[in-house]
Amino acid sequence: MAARKPTETAAPEGANVSKDDLLKYYREMLLIRRFEEKAGQLYGMGLIGGFCHLYIGQEAVVVGLEAAAKEGDKRVTSYRDHGHMLACGMDPKGVMAELTGREGGYSRGKGGSMHMFSKEKHFYGGHGIVGAQVPIGTGLALSDKYKGTDNVTFTYFGDGAANQGQVYEAYNIAELWELPVVYVIENNQYAMGTSVKRSTKSQTLFGRGIAFGIPGEQVDGMDVLAVKAAGEKAVAHCRAGNGPYILEMMTYRYRGHSMSDPAKYRTREEVQNVREHHDAIEHVRALLVDGGHATDDDLKAIDKDIKAIVNEAAEFSKESPEPALSELWTDIYA
Ligand SMILES: Cc1ncc(C[n+]2csc(CCOP(=O)(O)OP(=O)(O)O)c2C)c(N)n1
Ligand SMILES: [Mg+2]
């Protein structure tokens, strides 16, 4: 748990957040958590097939970074992608229906959990090959540089992916061509059942950027305000034409790697400790309540609202029909 601050962390200096901002982050993180819990239930009921990797525990990372984004910014990530979709404003109904393989899903039920896209929200997937999204995100940033926009691409990948060779090929070209890409390493301490300690000698993952001349920093990824502040710094660096920036988000996943993970590589106490002392949603709840910005009843009302949105998405994902047979012949290269 290196570099993680306790949940009492106050808003970092210069974070510049209002009560409305805090309430917004609370809602957004809660939506992801409840959505993922529901996805886990539907999976257990046999309504979701194939792979399904839940994002529970890591919510502050995407919510904090989306708070630093502006219209036209792009994002691309791995297979642990439902949180990223919800945080950039994709419709929970379309995401859930894709999980259940129905026509109303973002890929018309043909992609599933790991393969969804939204041109409208500039969300470029959903990638099952570990690290594959890193050169893709770098290419997206090249397109912005070429067109002369000041948009950035958030390219998310895991601690395990950080050991992939293609990450360093991408770093080299991104720094050489000064591409506006924020590399976000979601260091949740594990790559499937392998802990960072077992796989990696270096003390930090962001520090590997130094060899390429790319600045970066480690961030408490359980603190949405710290994430937002770091995101704003990274984004400003990129928008000003200074090239890429690396953010290593120290975070934790509460559930198994995927739905079929027996989780024998860590103790229950380890997970429980993070849930009790470092939970990102509880952190914002405490800031809201202790700061006198919201009462328990206000927060209960938000919870009820979010549950209704998630239940509606689940109903939609059950009622939407399976894709028509003719769909077998669309969206393919021949
Ligand atoms: C190239 C490649 N190698 C191996 C796998 C199998 N695999 C899927 S996820 C994963 C672990 C990746 O861990 P990390 O990058 O830390 O992401 P996290 O699952 O923690 O979000 C592995 C080895 C794969 N999908 N692609
Ligand atoms: Mg990991």
Side-chain angles (χ1 to χ4, degrees):
M1 300 296 115
R4 185 167 300 135
K5 286 173 264 166
T7 41
E8 302 83 62
T9 321
E13 251 174 69
N16 192 22
V17 282
S18 66
K19 166 192 164 180
D20 287 346
D21 290 333
L22 276 180
L23 284 167
K24 182 169 173 281
Y25 307 151
Y26 183 78
R27 277 186 75 92
E28 290 174 352
M29 291 196 288
L30 202 59
L31 173 65
I32 296 172
R33 183 153 308 176
R34 297 286 176 258
F35 180 97
E36 292 291 63
E37 286 166 357
K38 183 60 80 179
Q41 282 169 16
L42 298 186
Y43 195 95
M45 291 160 71
L47 287 163
I48 295 173
F51 285 103
C52 182
H53 309 81
L54 303 181
Y55 194 63
I56 297 176
Q58 301 180 215
E59 297 90 347
V61 177
V62 277
V63 168
L65 288 178
E66 285 296 338
K70 71 168 189 176
E71 178 50 38
D73 288 344
K74 303 173 174 61
R75 56 284 286 163
V76 63
T77 188
S78 72
Y79 42 84
R80 198 177 301 289
D81 53 0
H82 315 154
H84 303 68
M85 297 178 213
L86 298 175
C88 74
M90 286 169 67
D91 183 357
K93 286 192 202 140
V95 179
M96 198 68 98
E98 190 56 45
L99 297 185
T100 55
R102 306 300 173 94
E103 204 176 77
Y106 268 99
S107 301
R108 287 195 283 273
K110 299 188 290 181
S113 165
M114 304 193 282
H115 306 109
M116 279 181 247
F117 309 87
S118 167
K119 210 173 158 188
E120 185 201 348
K121 300 291 179 192
H122 311 288
F123 178 76
Y124 289 85
H127 295 271
I129 301 301
V130 169
Q133 72 274 24
V134 180
I136 293 173
T138 308
L140 288 167
L142 172 60
S143 78
D144 273 312
K145 170 108 187 182
Y146 184 75
K147 289 176 192 155
T149 77
D150 70 345
N151 281 119
V152 307
T153 299
F154 294 93
T155 300
Y156 295 87
F157 55 102
D159 45 281
N163 285 326
Q164 272 269 357
Q166 59 189 321
V167 170
Y168 301 95
E169 294 175 46
Y171 277 6
N172 182 54
I173 210 78
E175 179 62 18
L176 183 67
W177 290 350
E178 297 175 328
L179 304 181
V181 51
V182 182
Y183 293 111
V184 184
I185 306 171
E186 296 201 57
N187 186 349
N188 62 7
Q189 338 268 332
Y190 293 94
M192 297 183 85
T194 306
S195 68
V196 174
K197 285 191 199 93
R198 284 177 61 212
S199 69
T200 302
K201 185 72 184 172
S202 22
Q203 296 287 314
T204 67
L205 297 175
F206 82 88
R208 293 170 177 186
I210 294 166
F212 300 86
I214 309 178
E217 61 194 277
Q218 205 172 54
V219 182
D220 181 354
M222 305 300 270
D223 177 345
V224 71
L225 302 182
V227 172
K228 175 179 179 263
E232 283 168 348
K233 188 172 160 195
V235 157
H237 176 91
C238 293
R239 292 205 208 288
N242 297 320
Y245 200 94
I246 304 173
L247 294 174
E248 180 180 0
M249 296 291 172
M250 302 307 287
T251 184
Y252 198 76
R253 72 166 152 73
Y254 295 175
R255 296 290 186 94
H257 167 74
S258 69
M259 297 305 294
S260 55
D261 176 1
K264 295 223 167 95
Y265 48 85
R266 62 182 183 183
T267 61
R268 275 168 188 269
E269 290 71 37
E270 181 184 306
V271 183
Q272 203 49 35
N273 177 49
V274 183
R275 272 182 179 277
E276 275 173 24
H277 302 291
H278 305 283
D279 186 74
I281 298 178
E282 286 306 316
H283 170 224
V284 174
R285 168 189 279 274
L287 289 177
L288 281 165
V289 174
D290 299 349
H293 304 303
T295 63
D296 279 341
D297 283 346
D298 295 335
L299 298 181
K300 264 185 205 148
I302 293 177
D303 210 355
K304 205 172 148 200
D305 245 28
I306 299 290
K307 272 188 185 140
I309 294 169
V310 168
N311 285 336
E312 204 185 323
E315 281 317 305
F316 178 79
S317 78
K318 291 179 202 164
E319 280 158 19
S320 176
E322 293 198 344
L325 266 185
S326 57
E327 281 288 338
L328 273 175
W329 305 104
T330 61
D331 308 318
I332 50 173
Y333 290 107

